[in-house]
Amino acid sequence: MSWIIDGKDARREYATVHVQGEAKSLAESVVEAGLADVSLPPNAAKEAARPTAAGDDEGEKRERRLSEAMQKLVIAQEEAQSHERGKWTTSKDELAKAVPRYATDSNPTDFYTRNKGKKLPAVVEAVLSGSMLRVLLVPSFREVVVRVAGAQAPATRRGQKEEDTEPFAKEAQWTTERYTLHRRVHVTFTAFEPGKEADDRRPAVQPVFHADIALAGKSVGELLLASGLAKFVDWTAPKDKSEVYRNLEAQAQAKKLRIWSSYVP
């Protein structure tokens, strides 16, 4: 992925983004699919029609490039409208399908029982730590916080004043983010902790889902264990991968990688 910063304000920067291997910008692709509106700046049409002059300074050339980009977006929107794509559709069936019906299953145990062992498509919405992610299951649009099956990365704990993190916690989180964030994955639930309700002595304990999270045929658990960024957890590991995970941990220990830098057999 590459981008060019087009402008900024007090809080953020704005850029034209290109995905590797794609000729069109990300904005153009989204607009062409009918998933976004084009917001034209003042005098956009007039500026786009002005020919490039030899004496244009860098600022003027930048404005010219932005105008050309806006022209492409306008053309993309007109194409989406003419083909009734995305938000421009007039089909009642398509409009009905476009509104996500978020799952409201109030019983996590039942949800786990129904889906245990199934390979479910999902998108990673956030990486909370090296071995904890928030995923969006599709097409149900249910958000689930899951722990990586078979691997426990160093924890990131948030206190009232500052973060209290274990060694290599940030590196583990960055590794998982780099591999999975905002990407399509497959989630296979392997274990479940039902949690407990609050009582007079202790607060509520939230249920915990453990799942094998795979992308391009490789699991996040394998990646973390092989990199020395997680410890093997036998009872949550996929049954068909337990021995593989155990061997990956042993190899990382032998090489004294990261969390195993002081490991003594």
Coordinates of all heavy atoms in Angstrom, one line a residue, residues 64-115:
R64 N -3.6 21.0 -9.1 CA -4.0 20.4 -10.4 C -4.1 18.9 -10.3 O -5.1 18.3 -10.8 CB -2.9 20.7 -11.4 CG -3.1 20.1 -12.8 CD -4.3 20.6 -13.5 NE -4.4 20.1 -14.8 CZ -5.5 20.2 -15.6 NH1 -6.5 21.0 -15.2 NH2 -5.5 19.7 -16.8
R65 N -3.2 18.2 -9.6 CA -3.3 16.8 -9.4 C -4.6 16.4 -8.7 O -5.3 15.4 -9.0 CB -2.1 16.2 -8.7 CG -2.1 14.7 -8.5 CD -0.8 14.3 -7.8 NE -0.6 14.9 -6.5 CZ -1.3 14.6 -5.4 NH1 -2.2 13.6 -5.5 NH2 -1.0 15.2 -4.3
L66 N -4.9 17.2 -7.7 CA -6.1 16.9 -6.9 C -7.4 17.1 -7.8 O -8.3 16.3 -7.6 CB -6.2 17.8 -5.7 CG -5.2 17.5 -4.5 CD1 -5.3 18.6 -3.5 CD2 -5.4 16.2 -4.0
S67 N -7.3 18.1 -8.6 CA -8.5 18.3 -9.5 C -8.7 17.1 -10.5 O -9.8 16.7 -10.7 CB -8.3 19.6 -10.3 OG -8.2 20.7 -9.5
E68 N -7.6 16.6 -11.0 CA -7.7 15.4 -11.9 C -8.2 14.2 -11.1 O -9.0 13.4 -11.7 CB -6.3 15.1 -12.5 CG -5.8 16.2 -13.4 CD -4.3 16.0 -13.9 OE1 -3.7 15.1 -13.2 OE2 -3.9 16.6 -14.8
A69 N -7.8 14.1 -9.9 CA -8.3 13.0 -9.1 C -9.8 13.1 -8.8 O -10.5 12.1 -8.8 CB -7.5 12.9 -7.7
M70 N -10.2 14.4 -8.6 CA -11.7 14.6 -8.4 C -12.5 14.3 -9.6 O -13.6 13.7 -9.5 CB -11.9 16.0 -8.0 CG -11.4 16.4 -6.6 SD -12.1 15.3 -5.3 CE -13.8 15.6 -5.5
Q71 N -11.9 14.6 -10.8 CA -12.6 14.2 -12.1 C -12.8 12.7 -12.1 O -13.9 12.2 -12.5 CB -11.7 14.7 -13.3 CG -11.9 16.2 -13.6 CD -11.2 16.5 -14.9 OE1 -10.0 16.2 -15.1 NE2 -11.9 17.0 -15.9
K72 N -11.8 11.9 -11.8 CA -11.9 10.5 -11.8 C -13.0 10.0 -10.8 O -13.7 9.1 -11.1 CB -10.6 9.8 -11.5 CG -9.5 10.0 -12.5 CD -8.2 9.3 -12.1 CE -7.1 9.5 -13.2 NZ -5.8 8.9 -12.8
L73 N -13.1 10.6 -9.7 CA -14.1 10.3 -8.7 C -15.5 10.6 -9.2 O -16.4 9.8 -9.0 CB -13.8 11.0 -7.4 CG -12.6 10.5 -6.6 CD1 -12.5 11.3 -5.3 CD2 -12.6 9.0 -6.2
V74 N -15.6 11.7 -9.9 CA -16.9 12.1 -10.4 C -17.4 11.1 -11.5 O -18.5 10.6 -11.5 CB -16.9 13.5 -11.0 CG1 -18.2 13.8 -11.8 CG2 -16.7 14.5 -9.9
I75 N -16.4 10.7 -12.4 CA -16.7 9.7 -13.4 C -17.1 8.4 -12.8 O -18.0 7.7 -13.2 CB -15.5 9.5 -14.3 CG1 -15.3 10.8 -15.1 CG2 -15.7 8.4 -15.3 CD1 -14.0 10.9 -15.9
A76 N -16.4 8.0 -11.7 CA -16.6 6.7 -11.0 C -18.0 6.7 -10.4 O -18.8 5.7 -10.4 CB -15.6 6.5 -9.9
Q77 N -18.4 7.9 -9.8 CA -19.7 8.0 -9.2 C -20.8 7.9 -10.3 O -21.9 7.2 -10.1 CB -19.9 9.3 -8.4 CG -21.2 9.4 -7.8 CD -21.3 10.5 -6.7 OE1 -20.7 10.4 -5.6 NE2 -21.8 11.7 -7.1
E78 N -20.6 8.6 -11.4 CA -21.6 8.5 -12.5 C -21.8 7.1 -13.0 O -22.9 6.7 -13.3 CB -21.2 9.5 -13.6 CG -21.3 10.9 -13.2 CD -20.7 11.8 -14.3 OE1 -20.0 11.3 -15.2 OE2 -20.9 13.1 -14.2
E79 N -20.7 6.3 -13.1 CA -20.8 4.9 -13.5 C -21.5 4.1 -12.5 O -22.4 3.3 -12.9 CB -19.4 4.4 -13.7 CG -19.4 3.0 -14.2 CD -18.0 2.4 -14.5 OE1 -17.1 3.2 -14.7 OE2 -17.9 1.2 -14.6
A80 N -21.3 4.3 -11.2 CA -22.0 3.6 -10.1 C -23.5 3.9 -10.2 O -24.3 3.0 -10.0 CB -21.4 4.0 -8.8
Q81 N -23.8 5.2 -10.4 CA -25.2 5.6 -10.5 C -25.9 4.9 -11.7 O -27.0 4.4 -11.6 CB -25.3 7.1 -10.5 CG -25.0 7.8 -9.2 CD -24.9 9.3 -9.4 OE1 -24.5 9.8 -10.4 NE2 -25.2 10.0 -8.3
S82 N -25.2 4.9 -12.8 CA -25.9 4.4 -14.1 C -26.1 2.9 -14.0 O -27.0 2.4 -14.6 CB -25.0 4.8 -15.3 OG -23.7 4.1 -15.2
H83 N -25.2 2.2 -13.2 CA -25.3 0.8 -13.1 C -26.1 0.4 -11.8 O -26.2 -0.8 -11.5 CB -24.0 0.1 -13.1 CG -23.3 0.1 -14.5 ND1 -22.6 1.2 -15.0 CD2 -23.3 -0.8 -15.5 CE1 -22.1 0.9 -16.2 NE2 -22.5 -0.3 -16.5
E84 N -26.5 1.4 -11.1 CA -27.3 1.2 -9.8 C -26.5 0.3 -8.9 O -27.0 -0.7 -8.3 CB -28.7 0.6 -10.1 CG -29.5 1.5 -10.9 CD -31.0 1.1 -11.0 OE1 -31.3 -0.1 -10.5 OE2 -31.8 1.8 -11.5
R85 N -25.2 0.6 -8.7 CA -24.4 -0.2 -7.7 C -24.5 0.4 -6.3 O -24.7 1.6 -6.1 CB -22.9 -0.1 -8.2 CG -22.6 -0.8 -9.5 CD -21.2 -0.7 -9.8 NE -20.9 -1.2 -11.2 CZ -19.9 -0.6 -11.9 NH1 -19.2 0.4 -11.5 NH2 -19.7 -1.1 -13.1
G86 N -24.4 -0.5 -5.4 CA -24.3 -0.1 -4.0 C -25.5 0.8 -3.5 O -26.6 0.4 -3.7
K87 N -25.2 1.9 -3.0 CA -26.2 2.8 -2.4 C -27.1 3.4 -3.5 O -28.1 4.0 -3.2 CB -25.5 3.9 -1.6 CG -24.7 4.9 -2.5 CD -24.1 6.0 -1.6 CE -25.3 6.9 -1.2 NZ -24.8 8.1 -0.4
W88 N -26.7 3.3 -4.8 CA -27.6 3.8 -5.8 C -28.6 2.8 -6.4 O -29.3 3.1 -7.3 CB -26.6 4.3 -7.0 CG -25.6 5.2 -6.6 CD1 -24.2 5.0 -6.5 CD2 -25.7 6.5 -6.1 NE1 -23.5 6.0 -6.0 CE2 -24.4 7.0 -5.8 CE3 -26.8 7.4 -5.9 CZ2 -24.2 8.3 -5.2 CZ3 -26.6 8.7 -5.3 CH2 -25.3 9.1 -5.0
T89 N -28.6 1.6 -5.8 CA -29.6 0.6 -6.3 C -31.0 1.0 -6.0 O -31.3 1.7 -5.0 CB -29.3 -0.7 -5.6 OG1 -30.2 -1.7 -6.2 CG2 -29.5 -0.7 -4.1
T90 N -31.9 0.6 -6.8 CA -33.4 0.9 -6.6 C -34.1 -0.4 -6.3 O -35.3 -0.5 -6.1 CB -34.0 1.5 -7.9 OG1 -33.8 0.6 -9.0 CG2 -33.4 2.9 -8.2
S91 N -33.3 -1.5 -6.2 CA -33.9 -2.8 -5.8 C -34.2 -2.9 -4.3 O -33.3 -2.7 -3.5 CB -32.9 -3.9 -6.2 OG -33.3 -5.2 -5.7
K92 N -35.4 -3.2 -4.0 CA -35.8 -3.3 -2.6 C -35.0 -4.5 -1.9 O -34.7 -4.4 -0.7 CB -37.3 -3.5 -2.4 CG -38.0 -2.2 -2.8 CD -39.5 -2.4 -2.6 CE -40.3 -1.1 -3.0 NZ -41.8 -1.3 -2.8
D93 N -34.9 -5.6 -2.7 CA -34.2 -6.7 -2.1 C -32.7 -6.4 -1.8 O -32.2 -6.8 -0.8 CB -34.2 -7.9 -3.1 CG -35.7 -8.5 -3.3 OD1 -36.5 -8.3 -2.3 OD2 -35.9 -9.1 -4.3
E94 N -32.1 -5.7 -2.7 CA -30.7 -5.4 -2.5 C -30.5 -4.4 -1.3 O -29.6 -4.5 -0.5 CB -30.1 -4.7 -3.8 CG -29.9 -5.7 -4.9 CD -28.9 -6.8 -4.6 OE1 -27.8 -6.4 -4.0 OE2 -29.1 -7.9 -4.9
L95 N -31.4 -3.5 -1.2 CA -31.4 -2.5 -0.1 C -31.6 -3.3 1.2 O -31.0 -2.9 2.3 CB -32.5 -1.4 -0.3 CG -32.2 -0.4 -1.3 CD1 -33.4 0.5 -1.6 CD2 -31.0 0.5 -0.9
A96 N -32.5 -4.2 1.2 CA -32.8 -5.0 2.5 C -31.6 -5.8 2.9 O -31.2 -5.9 4.1 CB -34.0 -5.9 2.2
K97 N -30.8 -6.4 1.9 CA -29.7 -7.1 2.2 C -28.5 -6.3 2.7 O -27.6 -6.7 3.4 CB -29.2 -8.0 1.0 CG -30.1 -9.1 0.7 CD -29.5 -10.1 -0.3 CE -29.4 -9.4 -1.7 NZ -28.9 -10.3 -2.7
A98 N -28.5 -5.0 2.3 CA -27.4 -4.1 2.6 C -27.4 -3.6 4.0 O -26.4 -3.1 4.5 CB -27.5 -2.9 1.7
V99 N -28.6 -3.8 4.7 CA -28.7 -3.3 6.1 C -28.3 -4.5 7.0 O -29.0 -5.5 7.0 CB -30.1 -2.9 6.4 CG1 -30.2 -2.4 7.9 CG2 -30.5 -1.7 5.5
P100 N -27.2 -4.4 7.7 CA -26.7 -5.6 8.5 C -27.7 -5.8 9.7 O -28.1 -4.9 10.3 CB -25.3 -5.1 9.0 CG -25.3 -3.6 8.9 CD -26.2 -3.3 7.8
R101 N -28.0 -7.1 9.9 CA -28.7 -7.4 11.0 C -27.8 -8.0 12.1 O -27.4 -9.2 12.0 CB -29.8 -8.5 10.6 CG -30.9 -7.9 9.7 CD -31.8 -9.0 9.2 NE -32.9 -8.4 8.5 CZ -32.9 -8.0 7.3 NH1 -31.8 -8.1 6.6 NH2 -34.0 -7.5 6.7
Y102 N -27.4 -7.2 13.0 CA -26.4 -7.6 14.0 C -27.0 -8.7 14.9 O -28.1 -8.5 15.4 CB -25.9 -6.4 14.8 CG -25.1 -5.5 14.0 CD1 -25.7 -4.4 13.3 CD2 -23.7 -5.7 13.9 CE1 -24.9 -3.5 12.6 CE2 -22.9 -4.8 13.1 CZ -23.5 -3.7 12.5 OH -22.8 -2.9 11.7
A103 N -26.2 -9.7 15.1 CA -26.7 -10.8 16.0 C -26.8 -10.4 17.4 O -26.0 -9.6 17.9 CB -25.7 -12.0 15.9
T104 N -27.9 -10.8 18.0 CA -28.1 -10.4 19.4 C -28.3 -11.6 20.3 O -29.0 -11.6 21.3 CB -29.4 -9.5 19.5 OG1 -30.5 -10.3 18.9 CG2 -29.3 -8.2 18.7
D105 N -27.5 -12.7 20.0 CA -27.6 -13.9 20.8 C -27.1 -13.6 22.2 O -26.0 -13.2 22.4 CB -26.6 -14.9 20.1 CG -26.8 -16.3 20.8 OD1 -27.3 -16.4 21.9 OD2 -26.4 -17.3 20.1
S106 N -28.0 -13.7 23.2 CA -27.7 -13.3 24.5 C -27.0 -14.5 25.3 O -26.7 -14.3 26.5 CB -28.9 -12.9 25.3 OG -29.9 -13.9 25.3
N107 N -26.9 -15.6 24.7 CA -26.3 -16.8 25.4 C -25.0 -17.2 24.7 O -25.1 -18.0 23.7 CB -27.4 -18.0 25.4 CG -26.9 -19.1 26.4 OD1 -25.7 -19.4 26.4 ND2 -27.9 -19.6 27.1
P108 N -23.9 -16.8 25.2 CA -22.6 -17.1 24.6 C -22.4 -18.6 24.6 O -21.7 -19.1 23.6 CB -21.6 -16.4 25.5 CG -22.4 -15.3 26.2 CD -23.7 -15.9 26.4
T109 N -22.8 -19.4 25.6 CA -22.6 -20.8 25.6 C -23.3 -21.5 24.4 O -22.7 -22.3 23.7 CB -23.1 -21.4 26.9 OG1 -22.5 -20.8 28.0 CG2 -22.9 -22.9 26.9
D110 N -24.5 -21.1 24.1 CA -25.3 -21.6 23.0 C -24.6 -21.2 21.7 O -24.5 -22.1 20.7 CB -26.7 -21.1 23.0 CG -27.6 -21.7 24.1 OD1 -27.1 -22.7 24.7 OD2 -28.7 -21.2 24.3
F111 N -24.1 -20.0 21.6 CA -23.4 -19.5 20.4 C -22.2 -20.4 20.2 O -21.9 -20.9 19.0 CB -23.0 -18.1 20.5 CG -22.1 -17.6 19.4 CD1 -22.6 -17.2 18.2 CD2 -20.8 -17.4 19.7 CE1 -21.8 -16.8 17.2 CE2 -19.9 -17.0 18.7 CZ -20.4 -16.7 17.4
Y112 N -21.4 -20.7 21.2 CA -20.2 -21.5 21.1 C -20.6 -22.9 20.7 O -19.9 -23.5 19.8 CB -19.4 -21.5 22.4 CG -18.3 -22.5 22.4 CD1 -17.1 -22.2 21.6 CD2 -18.3 -23.7 23.1 CE1 -16.1 -23.1 21.6 CE2 -17.3 -24.6 23.0 CZ -16.1 -24.3 22.3 OH -15.1 -25.1 22.2
T113 N -21.6 -23.5 21.3 CA -22.0 -24.9 21.0 C -22.4 -25.0 19.5 O -22.0 -26.0 18.9 CB -23.2 -25.3 21.9 OG1 -22.8 -25.2 23.3 CG2 -23.6 -26.7 21.6
R114 N -23.1 -24.0 19.0 CA -23.5 -24.1 17.6 C -22.4 -24.0 16.6 O -22.4 -24.5 15.5 CB -24.5 -23.0 17.3 CG -25.9 -23.2 17.9 CD -26.9 -22.3 17.2 NE -26.5 -20.9 17.1 CZ -26.7 -20.0 18.0 NH1 -27.3 -20.3 19.1 NH2 -26.2 -18.7 17.8
N115 N -21.3 -23.2 17.0 CA -20.3 -22.9 16.1 C -18.9 -23.6 16.3 O -18.0 -23.4 15.5 CB -20.1 -21.4 16.0 CG -21.3 -20.7 15.5 OD1 -21.5 -20.7 14.3 ND2 -22.0 -20.0 16.3

